[in-house]
Amino acid sequence: MSTTELGRLAPLATPLPTPPVHEVLTPAQWTTLMAIASTVVPEVLRSTSVTAISQLGLPDAEYDATVDEIRAIATAPPDVEVVQRFLAEGVASYETFRRELRRYLTLHVREDARNGMGLILSTLNTRAGSLILTGSTVPFHEQTISVRTDIMRRWSLSYLPPLRAVCRILTQLSKSLYAKTSTTLGPLLDFPRAPVHGTPGQGYDFQFVQFGQGSGPETIECDVVIVGSGCGAGVTAKNLAEDGHRVLVVEKSYHFAPEHLPMSELDGSVRLFEGGAAQPSDDGSITVSAGSSWGGGGTVNWSASLQTQGFVRKEWADQGLNFFTSAEYQNCLDRVCHRMGVSTEFIEHNHGNQALMEGCRKLGYSCKAVPQNTGGKRHYCGYCTMGCGSAEKQGPAVSWLPDAARAGAQFMEGFEVTRVLFDENNPRSNKAIGVTGIWTSRDEKIKRPVVVKAKKTIISAGTLWSPVILQKSGLKNPQIGRNLKLHPANWVFGIWPEEVRPWEGAILTSVCDEFQNQDGQGHGVKLEAMVMLPNWMLAVIPGRGLDFKKTCLKFKHMNAFITLCRDSGSGRIYPDPNSGHPRMEYTPSVTDRKHTLEGLLALAKIIYVTGAKEISTVIEGVPSFVRSTSSNDSKDDADPGINDPAFLAWLDQIRAVGVQSPNTPFGSAHQMGTCRMGISEKTSVVDPRGRVWGAEDLYVADASVFPSASGVNPMITNMAISDWISRGVAKDLRREEGGQQESARL
């Protein structure tokens, strides 16, 4: 494709807001923090060119060999000058990196976590503190890069959990921000700003409620207010608007039309995700990525449209929720799939999904195609986690919310709900009468308090925010926020001899379910392909310093895969005492880590039999496996496959080290269960119709009502349950309106 054609596909810019000006770290703390970051991503120069201790100097012979090694990775070797610019680019003097690091620390890191990190940074600035934490009285930032690298290696295996956590989080953050802000990495990888497959699409022209300057609260009245605009909210809005009710959908984030999508990795992490796309649990053992945009998770997910499996439906029905094994629930599943054109018919697997399918075939593992919500069209785009520029992915902003608009629904962006309002004239009934919060204009120049009065209030703010809104509204049910269920994920990377351009093609079109029931109770892992945008994978890939830079250049030959665990453990969500935002208490259980280990070993085998020359995990202390070029050279010898002694020894090493917590990082893009549905207020938050226990006219309709983890990507389950709940709300409204009309006649 020509440069001109690519230019036409390039999305419109989405400039980020001005970063905070106030400092959250002292100058001395910044010095140490940047020393850590420059250890992870250093400036690599010839020793004769080094002018600062933050730079990594190599003797001429080693430097020239490094340049040659990097050039040899590429099929078409880049110019020497291009490689040298890449090596010389670090983070120590990179103002864009520092600006975005300040933004992240100020806006997205909890105050207590920031204070804890600051304490460690300050300690490293003292001789006594450095002696305790590094074994040397020389402050960390005054050490050479090689010494710092060894110190950070020891931190990663430290017996002190805070030190281990800070090391891992700052390492991942440094890599992630480097990948987002680098000016040399993308061109060297030939990574295009926009997907080269597909064409820009046309989005719906949403109209949003606006307010001018003023001091007092604005008041809006409607029949139904829906808090959130994601998968549950979209279905709910469509159903209730089409039933003839006055619907208002409110969302704390903002809408970006397809011409702005996909966003860059830097802009998208701020504009489209909660907490900068990386929210760690309290102990740092897992990091959550949750959509926070117009359309919610449906704007940033990977199109996977799997229906709730039978064993999960039975588990929920056995808890007294018979609806889940009814024909009506299947009708709900089929209805939402039909609206989005869910199908496997038009799938074209990219390299990662081909490798998963072929590896499973060679090993005899069960594997199948994953239905896509792409409107019955071929959709060969690997960028959709930054938003779908073709408008082919039928998320809420493309399908459900436009349907609701055409039926008369209204919309408000930039409105953060602080609490549900209850009827003060009848406090015993706990009757919800709407919500209140703060509306912020898109340019952030106007802030206004807003009150929304409604007959029915539906909280569809997602598993993180829905329980927090209920808690901040004064509801006392101790179940609110508990039963947090995730799909903890872990990674295995493969590097192939050929270029595979992993960012091209649909992200998740295949799934291996061979290991989904390891305990006989429906708990285990599924194996899936991973989104392959540089920032997403380079943040967690092993290595620091020069090793990390070399790995970056292998990215065109790389694919990553995940173990998606249906968890047996649980956690909780609660409001942060300082910000009021959701905090997460969660640690992957021993059982879930055991199941994950089996999945990692299986993925390694899949990657091996599909020809990868190098395989890595994120388990600290386990080196990469590099396939011997001399193995099976003789045509007379049978190919041992996964019985290769060297490979088996490496697998044994993984099993011996294990998936320890919190040493081994986990991630999750699926959050469920914090407003669990059930048949008793003692064990749940909402009843089988989605009504909040202990309140009137208040409902929850999103993934937070799942009784336990879905075990599959939760979009379709979320939509089907919300379809059921919203149809029940419509019946309640019709019944009440009919009763009022009858009373008026009498």
Side-chain angles (χ1 to χ4, degrees):
M1 181 171 288
S2 70
T3 302
T4 302
E5 290 173 311
L6 281 174
R8 286 203 297 267
L9 292 177
L12 299 179
T14 54
L16 295 177
T18 303
V21 295
H22 65 283
E23 288 288 1
V24 295
L25 298 176
T26 67
Q29 290 170 339
W30 267 113
T31 297
T32 302
L33 177 58
M34 292 307 295
I36 291 173
S38 64
T39 304
V40 178
V41 188
E43 300 173 31
V44 181
L45 306 169
R46 296 182 186 274
S47 297
T48 53
S49 300
V50 169
T51 59
I53 199 169
S54 61
Q55 298 168 332
L56 176 61
L58 301 180
D60 284 351
E62 184 179 351
Y63 182 86
D64 291 337
T66 298
V67 171
D68 291 342
E69 179 185 351
I70 289 175
R71 294 186 72 230
I73 293 172
T75 303
D79 292 340
V80 170
E81 293 78 10
V82 174
V83 176
Q84 290 176 335
R85 284 197 297 272
F86 165 73
L87 288 173
E89 183 185 53
V91 299
S93 58
Y94 198 19
E95 183 54 38
T96 303
F97 176 91
R98 185 175 179 128
R99 182 193 68 211
E100 295 308 319
L101 181 57
R102 179 186 296 111
R103 184 196 305 275
Y104 183 83
L105 294 176
T106 305
L107 299 180
H108 304 309
V109 176
R110 304 188 316 265
E111 183 177 339
D112 65 308
R114 199 164 54 228
N115 291 340
M117 181 183 69
L119 177 62
I120 290 177
L121 295 176
S122 294
T123 302
L124 288 168
N125 274 316
T126 67
R127 295 175 65 84
S130 291
L131 180 61
I132 294 171
L133 296 181
T134 72
S136 168
T137 58
V138 179
F140 183 86
H141 67 277
E142 295 180 6
Q143 296 279 15
T144 64
I145 286 277
S146 59
V147 172
R148 289 188 221 160
T149 300
D150 184 64
I151 289 171
M152 291 190 69
R153 181 192 61 78
R154 286 185 275 119
W155 285 352
S156 69
L157 301 171
S158 171
Y159 289 104
L160 298 173
L163 192 59
R164 198 168 56 229
V166 166
C167 178
R168 183 175 66 252
I169 290 171
L170 291 181
T171 297
Q172 292 179 357
L173 182 59
S174 298
K175 292 177 180 178
S176 174
L177 286 177
Y178 167 71
K180 292 174 184 175
T181 59
S182 171
T183 60
T184 65
L185 179 59
L188 197 53
L189 290 175
D190 194 26
F191 172 70
R193 164 65 183 87
V196 298
H197 302 281
T199 56
Q202 184 68 40
Y204 185 82
D205 186 17
F206 290 100
Q207 301 299 310
F208 294 96
V209 176
Q210 302 292 327
F211 303 106
Q213 293 282 4
S215 56
E218 292 280 355
T219 300
I220 298 178
E221 294 189 4
C222 58
D223 293 331
V224 182
V225 60
I226 301 170
V227 181
S229 65
C231 295
V235 174
T236 298
K238 168 186 166 70
N239 286 347
L240 289 166
E242 289 182 346
D243 202 54
H245 306 291
R246 296 176 301 152
V247 172
L248 175 65
V249 178
V250 300
E251 166 63 53
K252 65 182 176 66
S253 300
Y254 298 91
H255 169 57
F256 290 92
E259 54 263 32
H260 293 278
L261 306 175
M263 291 189 187
S264 70
E265 294 175 85
L266 176 60
D267 294 354
S269 63
V270 176
R271 297 284 196 186
L272 303 177
F273 287 87
E274 193 74 36
Q279 287 189 282
S281 61
D282 285 351
D283 68 355
S285 62
I286 190 166
T287 300
V288 161
S289 294
S292 180
S293 60
W294 185 250
T299 295
V300 297
N301 70 16
W302 306 346
S303 297
S305 301
L306 293 160
Q307 295 196 5
T308 324
Q309 293 176 278
F311 67 87
V312 176
R313 294 170 63 171
K314 182 179 183 301
E315 176 186 304
W316 295 352
D318 288 346
Q319 297 174 20
L321 300 168
N322 296 327
F323 163 67
F324 289 107
T325 51
S326 70
E328 182 55 33
Y329 182 57
Q330 187 60 50
N331 291 339
C332 294
L333 290 166
D334 292 340
R335 189 158 41 235
V336 300
C337 287
H338 176 75
R339 171 61 189 89
M340 296 188 294
V342 171
S343 170
T344 59
E345 185 176 350
F346 302 93
I347 289 176
E348 181 180 347
H349 297 298
N350 65 2
H351 175 270
N353 286 281
Q354 287 176 2
L356 186 63
M357 297 280 281
E358 179 64 6
C360 286
R361 184 191 69 80
K362 288 183 174 181
L363 294 167
Y365 297 162
S366 172
C367 193
K368 62 183 180 182
V370 173
Q372 308 285 293
N373 69 329
T374 54
K377 295 181 180 179
R378 175 186 179 272
H379 184 69
Y380 199 71
C381 172
Y383 290 63
C384 271
T385 201
M386 292 290 117
C388 182
S390 68
E392 290 173 346
K393 183 172 68 175
Q394 299 294 300
V398 175
S399 56
W400 303 99
L401 293 171
D403 286 352
R406 286 185 281 267
Q410 292 185 295
F411 308 103
M412 190 190 307
E413 61 177 358
F415 180 51
E416 183 170 325
V417 170
T418 53
R419 61 187 176 91
V420 176
L421 297 174
F422 294 97
D423 186 357
E424 296 179 354
N425 296 322
N426 190 9
R428 289 187 178 181
S429 69
N430 225 21
K431 179 181 176 64
I433 57 172
V435 296
T436 185
I438 300 297
W439 175 82
T440 303
S441 62
R442 197 177 184 89
D443 60 8
E444 300 186 351
K445 293 181 179 179
I446 303 176
K447 289 183 180 290
R448 295 290 303 277
V450 175
V451 173
V452 180
K453 295 183 178 180
K455 299 175 183 176
K456 303 288 183 184
T457 299
I458 303 176
I459 308 299
S460 298
T463 296
L464 302 183
W465 274 98
S466 286
V468 168
I469 291 173
L470 295 182
Q471 289 168 331
K472 291 164 71 174
S473 301
L475 295 175
K476 302 300 183 183
N477 185 341
Q479 292 297 320
I480 297 173
R482 297 193 176 275
N483 191 51
L484 171 64
K485 308 296 286 188
L486 303 176
H487 288 152
N490 212 274
W491 303 266
V492 183
F493 307 87
I495 297 173
W496 277 260
E498 70 276 14
E499 287 189 1
V500 301
R501 300 183 69 83
W503 53 80
E504 293 186 359
I507 300 169
L508 201 173
T509 57
S510 61
V511 58
C512 171
D513 56 11
E514 181 77 14
F515 305 92
Q516 68 180 353
N517 186 17
Q518 295 184 47
D519 65 352
Q521 300 179 39
H523 299 109
V525 297
K526 290 181 174 64
L527 312 180
E528 297 179 345
M530 179 68 186
V531 63
M532 289 301 294
L533 300 182
N535 151 64
W536 283 79
M537 293 322 307
L538 294 179
V540 295
I541 203 162
R544 299 181 187 89
L546 182 57
D547 287 343
F548 170 67
K549 285 209 161 185
K550 289 179 180 179
T551 301
C552 286
L553 271 299
K554 298 176 183 178
F555 193 72
K556 277 202 289 189
H557 297 256
M558 183 186 300
N559 255 305
F561 305 86
I562 55 173
T563 58
L564 191 80
C565 182
R566 181 172 188 250
D567 63 352
S568 59
S570 65
R572 72 180 179 109
I573 295 292
Y574 63 101
D576 183 89
N578 297 307
S579 68
H581 290 185
R583 281 184 61 166
M584 177 174 55
E585 184 181 278
Y586 188 99
T587 304
S589 70
V590 173
T591 297
D592 296 335
R593 285 186 274 124
K594 177 182 176 182
H595 294 165
T596 294
L597 176 60
E598 296 305 317
L600 295 176
L601 296 171
L603 279 175
K605 295 174 184 177
I606 289 169
I607 294 170
Y608 183 94
V609 300
T610 52
K613 64 179 183 179
E614 187 174 338
I615 309 172
S616 303
T617 72
V618 297
I619 300 174
E620 287 285 354
V622 175
S624 299
F625 170 78
V626 179
R627 189 191 296 257
S628 171
T629 56
S630 62
S631 63
N632 197 37
D633 281 343
S634 173
K635 294 181 180 180
D636 297 330
D637 294 335
D639 184 351
I642 59 171
N643 297 318
D644 173 0
F647 180 63
L648 290 176
W650 183 70
L651 294 182
D652 287 342
Q653 187 175 2
I654 293 175
R655 192 177 291 280
V657 175
V659 181
Q660 302 176 25
S661 182
N663 284 11
T664 304
F666 281 83
S668 179
H670 304 157
Q671 311 91 42
M672 304 150 279
T674 52
C675 296
R676 174 165 51 182
M677 180 181 287
I679 60 173
S680 168
E681 186 174 0
K682 294 180 179 180
T683 58
S684 59
V685 179
V686 301
D687 72 8
R689 302 300 294 266
R691 297 173 295 201
V692 176
W693 294 109
E696 292 184 17
D697 297 332
L698 180 60
Y699 304 77
V700 178
D702 57 29
S704 72
V705 305
F706 289 15
S708 62
S710 60
V712 295
N713 303 64
M715 175 175 65
I716 297 300
T717 301
N718 181 355
M719 288 181 169
I721 294 175
S722 298
D723 182 66
W724 162 253
I725 290 172
S726 58
R727 290 175 185 276
V729 175
K731 290 178 182 177
D732 291 343
L733 282 166
R734 289 197 299 270
R735 187 182 308 113
E736 292 167 11
E737 290 168 359
Q740 292 171 359
Q741 292 171 1
E742 182 65 24
S743 297
R745 284 196 297 270
L746 295 175

